[in-house]
Amino acid sequence: MRAALRTGLIAGALASVVSTLALAVAGRRENGSIVAPTNAISHWLWRGEAFVVDRPTLRHTLVGYVIHHLTSTFWAVLYAWLHGNRRDAQTVPKAVAGATVAAAVACTVDYTVTPKRLTPGFEHRLSTGAMALVYGAFAIGLAAGCLAANRRNSP
């Protein structure tokens, strides 16, 4: 579990940053605001108010990013524990395939099992296609982070 935590912290950070960049690109294209989708994540605390804020604020942007980073890390630790740290997952194709499955599972859980109050929130600001881009970016960050963490750990 310790190895999964270490790998998950690295992979979660990378997945969070890469998917936040995707949120910014999609937000700029669809809302004219690079922070609107990240702000929407803060609905966990600020409810509907978070869905209409287009400018950067500590209350919405920082809180939204922190929530996103923590949930990304949760999924990354779980993924590293179940699959990402296995020797057979250490090639680029297998890491990308595994991370893509993990991102699909995260998306499915986020929108079917998770209570509305705890969904990611950016679905209120982005199209389905943009959300696919975000989860794809998450998968790329997750795969790259696991590969990097496990290469550092190799003899």
Side-chain angles (χ1 to χ4, degrees), residues 1-54:
M1 188 61 188
R2 193 167 158 180
L5 182 59
R6 186 188 65 72
T7 299
L9 289 172
I10 294 167
L14 195 53
S16 173
V17 168
V18 173
S19 58
T20 298
L21 290 173
L23 285 169
V25 168
R28 176 78 170 147
R29 174 180 280 155
E30 295 188 1
N31 298 283
S33 168
I34 63 171
V35 296
T38 300
N39 288 348
I41 300 167
S42 73
H43 80 101
W44 282 28
L45 298 178
W46 314 125
R47 299 188 186 254
E49 166 190 325
F51 301 139
V52 296
V53 178
D54 290 336

